[in-house]
């Protein structure tokens, strides 16, 4: 079974997100827990979360992914911004405890000229402040395109954060196909090689989720602009290889492509058909 879903709006409530995912043919999804470009957290009732938890179990969903807000930068020059990152992630992780066994993904941030090592140390320091051994949520660092002073454009950078954090052994990674292609990894022609490099550097056991995005940019551009699957420079054939790769196929695959729920439903249907066709060919 492939766990395939999309990023959904949580404005209607968490249970309704679960039903929206089912309506679009998904069996996983991703959402924000607060304003993605602000600090305000969403009002959530325990009853709503309990109904979603029951729905996920009843409908055999794969793990779901909560995404940290884009403005969160744990390696900012500004101490106040770093403290804000600690507060937001602490609050979000407390909310995720109502949905145990799932994932919380974040962009590692930009060191804004402080240097890679300083940035990695600051990210690790934040993670050690928010992590608790009793947590039932796995924190995921996302692979990035490497634009500007962004951390996470190379697998070694994610590994450095893990090595610096006392809680590093409990951390995971979310791989983004657009980001790694834009970052210079040849996901189009050498997926096996990319995953072998990830395994040597980070460990495939740390890979917990995949963002399935095509790219508007050529490989190695280090720009990060998503496209609909099959309508970018990566292409549907390479995307399907990602979905069916033996090292990845049990992970939740999340579409973050530029469309709405109806468009995501069409993408999910098309990708599932492509996966079945590839399986039949074998």
């Amino acid at each position: 079974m492939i766990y395939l879903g999309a990023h959904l709006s949580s404005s209607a409530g968490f249970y309704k997100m679960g039903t929206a995912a089912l309506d679009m043919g998904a069996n996983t999804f991703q959402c924000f827990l607060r304003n993605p470009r602000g600090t305000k957290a969403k009002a959530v009732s325990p009853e709503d979360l309990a109904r979603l938890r029951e729905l996920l179990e009843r409908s055999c969903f794969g793990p779901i992914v909560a995404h940290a807000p884009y403005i969160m930068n744990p390696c900012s020059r500004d101490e106040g911004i770093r403290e804000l990152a600690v507060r937001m992630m602490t609050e979000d992780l407390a909310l995720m405890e109502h949905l145990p066994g799932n994932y919380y993904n974040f962009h590692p941030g930009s060191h804004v000229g402080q240097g890679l090592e300083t940035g990695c140390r600051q990210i690790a320091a934040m993670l050690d402040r928010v992590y608790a051994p009793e947590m039932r949520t796995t924190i995921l660092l996302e692979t990035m395109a490497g634009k500007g002073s962004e951390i996470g454009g190379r697998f070694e950078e994610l590994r450095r954060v893990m090595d610096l954090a006392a809680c590093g052994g409990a951390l995971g990674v979310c791989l983004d196909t657009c980001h790694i292609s834009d970052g210079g990894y040849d996901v189009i022609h050498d997926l096996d090689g990319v995953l072998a490099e990830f395994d040597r550097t980070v460990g495939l056991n740390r890979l917990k989720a995949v963002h399935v995005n095509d790219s508007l940019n050529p490989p190695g551009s280090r720009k990060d602009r998503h496209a609909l699957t099959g309508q970018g420079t990566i292409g549907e054939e390479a995307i399907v290889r990602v979905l069916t790769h033996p090292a990845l196929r049990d992970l939740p695959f999340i579409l973050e492509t530029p469309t709405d729920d109806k468009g995501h439903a069409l993408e999910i249907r098309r990708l599932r058909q492509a996966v079945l066709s590839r399986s039949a060919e074998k």
Side-chain angles (χ1 to χ4, degrees):
M1 176 187 296
I2 289 181
Y3 296 117
L4 180 59
H7 187 96
L8 302 177
S9 170
S10 58
S11 59
F14 284 84
Y15 175 75
K16 287 189 176 180
M17 274 194 293
T19 59
L22 287 175
D23 288 345
M24 67 172 61
N27 52 2
T28 182
F29 65 87
Q30 177 178 272
C31 67
F32 289 113
L33 302 180
R34 60 180 66 231
N35 184 334
R37 301 193 184 277
T39 62
K40 187 176 180 181
K42 301 178 184 299
V44 181
S45 73
E47 293 79 14
D48 187 30
L49 291 169
R51 291 181 72 201
L52 173 60
R53 188 167 62 246
E54 292 170 3
L55 177 67
L56 298 179
E57 293 171 357
R58 185 170 68 248
S59 303
C60 299
F61 270 59
I64 63 171
V65 183
H67 199 302
Y70 295 130
I71 67 160
M72 195 170 78
N73 187 5
C75 55
S76 170
R77 281 181 177 274
D78 188 320
E79 183 180 1
I81 294 176
R82 297 198 302 271
E83 287 298 314
L84 178 62
V86 171
R87 178 175 66 80
M88 289 193 292
M89 190 177 284
T90 299
E91 292 173 354
D92 287 353
L93 289 171
L95 179 59
M96 287 299 293
E97 286 302 288
H98 293 279
L99 298 168
N102 293 296
Y103 300 133
Y104 183 82
N105 177 65
F106 77 105
H107 293 179
S110 296
H111 63 70
V112 288
Q114 298 180 98
L116 178 63
E117 181 68 11
T118 295
C120 289
R121 288 186 180 278
Q122 289 172 337
I123 298 165
M126 178 202 68
L127 290 167
D128 283 335
R129 288 179 63 185
V130 303
Y131 174 78
E134 64 272 16
M135 274 175 29
R136 296 171 294 174
T137 299
T138 303
I139 302 172
L140 309 183
L141 295 96
E142 184 171 338
T143 58
M144 303 305 294
K147 63 181 187 289
S149 63
E150 190 175 67
I151 292 176
R154 306 304 299 173
F155 299 153
E156 291 84 357
E157 296 170 15
L158 300 182
R159 182 56 193 250
R160 183 57 177 157
V161 172
M162 293 175 167
D163 287 344
L164 288 167
C167 67
L171 303 173
V173 171
C174 176
L175 184 147
D176 187 301
T177 55
C178 170
H179 293 175
I180 63 171
S181 179
D182 282 15
Y185 290 100
D186 192 0
V187 67
I188 303 170
H189 305 105
D190 190 22
L191 177 60
D192 285 340
V194 172
L195 294 178
E197 183 173 349
F198 184 92
D199 193 30
R200 288 192 300 271
T201 308
V202 180
L204 279 170
N205 61 313
R206 305 284 196 108
L207 187 52
K208 303 298 183 182
V210 179
H211 285 163
V212 183
N213 302 306
D214 215 321
S215 175
L216 290 175
N217 302 300
S221 62
R222 300 180 66 170
K223 287 184 177 179
D224 180 15
R225 291 192 63 198
H226 298 186
L228 293 171
T229 54
Q231 296 186 26
T233 59
I234 297 175
E236 184 169 296
E237 184 177 343
I239 293 291
V240 172
R241 284 198 295 271
V242 171
L243 293 172
T244 56
H245 196 282
L248 306 177
R249 59 187 175 196
D250 293 330
L251 304 180
F253 294 98
I254 305 293
L255 295 165
E256 294 181 315
T257 49
T259 186
D260 55 14
D261 287 1
K262 184 177 179 180
H264 281 140
L266 293 173
E267 271 192 289
I268 289 169
R269 188 179 308 124
R270 191 187 75 252
L271 289 172
R272 288 196 187 281
Q273 289 172 346
V275 166
L276 286 173
S277 297
R278 183 177 176 86
S279 299
E281 291 172 1
K282 293 181 178 181

